[in-house]
Amino acid sequence: QAQLVESGGGLVQAGGSLRLSCAASGRSFSSYAMGWFRQAPGKERDVVAAISWDSDNTYYADSVKGRFTISRDNAKNTVYLQMNNLQPEDTDVYYCAATYGEYARLQQVEYSSWGEGTQVTVYS
């Protein structure tokens, strides 16, 4: 399984931007589909964005379409989440996830590896 470490979270004013990064260990990163999820206390962990192993396919939750962009650099074993026009409702802990296989996955149960999360807080 991949070992994942997120970074890039923080405190930002509404309308601002952040870029999350997720560095993966191992030599098979290009064989994994990747996803970003977020979770508020007491709530379900929901998919934010997902990307196939070759970047050909991406998925976005309706709430972030047009504002967030997922991308990956297989040479650097890293997946990114560029978040623009952040709003207070985007405040959550954001998790990176990996699953072996080519297609982008949308369900939490489909992912086998998880990072520990990074906090994103947006204030108005």
Side-chain angles (χ1 to χ4, degrees):
Q1 292 187 346
Q3 302 294 317
L4 307 174
V5 179
E6 303 98 335
S7 61
L11 181 66
V12 63
Q13 191 172 19
S17 297
L18 286 173
R19 188 175 81 154
L20 304 183
S21 298
C22 173
S25 63
R27 295 178 293 176
S28 302
F29 180 73
S30 59
S31 301
Y32 287 88
M34 302 295 295
W36 286 98
F37 287 72
R38 65 186 182 186
Q39 185 174 25
K43 294 192 175 182
E44 295 285 320
R45 188 172 296 186
D46 295 325
V47 66
V48 174
I51 189 167
S52 59
W53 63 4
D54 58 2
S55 302
D56 276 0
N57 297 108
T58 56
Y59 166 85
Y60 297 95
D62 287 342
S63 58
V64 306
K65 280 181 182 176
R67 301 189 298 124
F68 290 12
T69 303
I70 189 171
S71 62
R72 65 189 295 163
D73 185 338
N74 287 346
K76 295 183 178 180
N77 283 14
T78 302
V79 63
Y80 305 97
L81 185 68
Q82 177 66 45
M83 306 186 294
N84 297 329
N85 191 23
L86 283 160
Q87 299 300 314
E89 53 265 34
D90 294 316
T91 295
D92 272 322
V93 178
Y94 284 71
Y95 296 89
C96 174
T99 185
Y100 189 80
E102 60 184 294
Y103 300 113
R105 307 291 182 177
L106 308 183
Q107 303 297 321
Q108 181 181 349
V109 295
E110 297 180 282
Y111 287 84
S112 56
S113 299
W114 293 86
E116 295 195 353
T118 186
Q119 176 70 47
V120 171
T121 303
V122 186
Y123 64 95
S124 57

